């Protein structure tokens, strides 16, 4: 427990520094946006190339990865069914709320947590891969199909595929998997620059997260309070429980259960709000579930580590 508190305290201190930087605006009005682009397009891809490229594929594509994929898929299906059947939502209206309950902040919080709590960035890779290669593309297909009524299905598929191909984290992780599968280790002279840049990924991600918390929130459209609390409970409570349940059934050890439960406990990713704004659907839900699941992160992690650590 003391190690967990130390790790959370370290993460919290850096997030606080980012919040103060964002509030005082000493780096300028667009600092958070610019830093976020650096993290997304440079630092994390560099880290993924060197970390995944040097990892044992049996670790990256392990039983824990299957638990992450299966538990997240079950959660997403459950939420989608409730929204479609009980709430009578059209598919496009259910897409963003489903993401809000299942798509976690693996970049700004998951990566630093993996490094500081477990000492290995590889443990967050299965979560990133499932979200970037399965959850997001499925949501894009639904949202693109709704936004492009009358457009050929092939055009919608091409638009979704283009989003994935342009995603630097997906490209870097895929390249890392290819390198890991090769029968030779990346030379230090080649890996050195990636390690140097990738070392900035976790602290920069935390600074960006803190800076975004400092941005004043406008009232904007209001979401259904019942729906927000339902989705928050699914994200912060049911998701970790599902991860533990599936992991137990598949025979994960105590550390494996702690890893998958901690990754599942992460709050809703900021990307979900970005997608909601881009497609003009579910903006209020994405905003509010993201806020409340973030506030619940520390108490949920403390419970998870007390039970499994």
């Amino acid at each position: 427990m003391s190690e967990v508190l130390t790790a959370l305290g370290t993460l919290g201190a850096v997030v606080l520094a980012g919040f103060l930087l964002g509030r005082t605006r000493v780096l300028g009005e667009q600092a958070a946006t610019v830093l976020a682009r650096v993290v997304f397009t440079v630092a994390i891809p560099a880290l993924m190339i060197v970390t995944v490229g040097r990892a044992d594929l049996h670790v990256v594509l392990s039983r824990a990865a299957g638990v992450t994929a299966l538990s997240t898929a079950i959660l997403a299906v459950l939420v989608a069914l409730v929204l479609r059947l009980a709430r009578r939502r059209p598919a496009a209206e259910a897409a963003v709320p489903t993401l809000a309950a299942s798509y976690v902040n693996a970049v700004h919080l998951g990566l630093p947590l993996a490094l500081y709590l477990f000492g290995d960035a590889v443990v967050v890779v299965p979560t990133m891969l499932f979200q970037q290669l399965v959850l997001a593309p499925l949501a894009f297909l639904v949202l693109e199909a709704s936004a492009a009524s009358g457009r050929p299905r092939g055009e919608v598929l091409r638009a979704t595929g283009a989003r994935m191909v342009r995603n630097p984290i997906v490209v870097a992780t895929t390249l890392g998997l290819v390198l890991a599968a090769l029968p030779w280790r990346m030379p230090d002279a080649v890996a050195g620059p990636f390690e140097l840049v990738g070392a900035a990924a976790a602290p920069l991600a935390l600074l960006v997260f803190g800076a975004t918390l400092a941005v004043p929130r406008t009232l904007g459209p209001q979401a259904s309070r019942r729906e927000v609390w339902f989705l928050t409970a699914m994200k912060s409570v049911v998701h970790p429980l599902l991860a533990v349940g599936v992991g137990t059934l598949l025979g994960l050890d105590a550390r494996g259960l702690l890893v998958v439960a901690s990754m599942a406990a992460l709050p809703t990713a900021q990307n979900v709000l970005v997608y909601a704004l881009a497609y003009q659907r579910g903006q209020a839900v994405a905003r509010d579930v993201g806020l409340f699941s973030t506030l619940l992160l520390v108490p949920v992690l403390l419970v998870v580590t007390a039970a499994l650590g």
Side-chain angles (χ1 to χ4, degrees):
M1 179 64 75
S2 61
E3 293 179 355
V4 175
L5 291 174
T6 300
L8 291 177
T10 302
L11 300 179
V14 182
V15 170
L16 177 60
F19 177 85
L20 294 175
L21 288 173
R23 179 64 72 182
T24 57
R25 301 179 183 177
V26 295
L27 299 180
E29 296 285 340
Q30 301 299 319
T33 301
V34 174
L35 287 176
R37 289 174 182 168
V38 172
V39 170
F40 185 74
T41 61
V42 181
I44 289 179
L47 182 65
M48 289 298 101
I49 287 173
V50 71
T51 302
V52 179
R54 286 180 160 181
D56 184 346
L57 278 182
H58 292 93
V59 176
V60 178
L61 305 176
S62 62
R63 190 179 304 175
V67 170
T68 294
L70 184 56
S71 59
T72 305
I74 292 172
L75 179 76
V77 170
L78 286 175
V79 172
L81 286 175
V82 170
L83 293 173
R84 292 280 284 151
L85 300 179
R87 305 284 290 179
R88 304 292 182 183
R89 294 290 183 84
E93 294 293 336
V96 168
T98 300
L99 284 181
S102 56
Y103 197 109
V104 305
N105 195 335
V107 173
H108 294 145
L109 288 177
L111 177 63
L113 185 70
L115 286 170
Y116 288 109
L117 186 57
F118 301 109
D120 189 356
V122 170
V123 300
V124 78
V125 170
T127 301
M128 284 185 174
L129 285 176
F130 187 75
Q131 292 186 164
Q132 299 286 355
L133 300 180
V134 180
L135 279 186
L138 286 176
F140 291 153
L141 282 175
V142 173
L143 292 167
E144 288 281 354
S146 174
S149 55
R151 282 167 57 188
R153 183 175 300 177
E155 187 175 338
V156 174
L157 291 173
R158 283 194 297 273
T160 304
R163 279 181 176 268
M164 294 175 59
V165 171
R166 292 195 301 266
N167 187 312
I169 295 178
V170 171
V171 174
T173 304
T174 303
L175 178 58
L177 289 172
V178 172
L179 292 172
L182 295 176
W184 52 271
R185 179 181 171 85
M186 189 186 307
D188 291 339
V190 175
F194 292 101
E195 290 178 337
L196 185 62
V197 176
L204 280 180
L206 291 171
L207 288 174
V208 169
F209 183 71
T212 59
L213 295 178
V215 177
R217 295 179 179 272
T218 56
L219 289 177
Q222 298 298 306
S224 163
R225 185 172 300 179
R226 181 180 299 179
E227 184 170 314
V228 167
W229 284 116
F230 164 70
L231 295 172
T232 301
M234 296 296 284
K235 171 81 267 324
S236 297
V237 179
V238 177
H239 198 179
L241 288 174
L242 274 174
V244 172
V246 174
T248 301
L249 288 176
L250 294 183
L252 286 187
D253 58 17
R255 184 181 185 277
L257 290 176
L258 180 59
V259 168
V260 296
S262 298
M263 294 298 106
L266 292 168
T268 302
Q270 293 159 306
N271 282 2
V272 177
L273 179 56
V274 173
Y275 303 152
L277 291 170
Y279 289 99
Q280 291 297 297
R281 293 182 183 275
Q283 303 97 306
V285 167
R287 177 197 64 209
D288 292 349
V289 176
L291 172 62
F292 292 127
S293 60
T294 299
L295 294 175
L296 289 173
L297 173 62
V298 171
V300 171
L301 277 180
L302 290 176
V303 172
V304 166
T305 52
L308 302 173

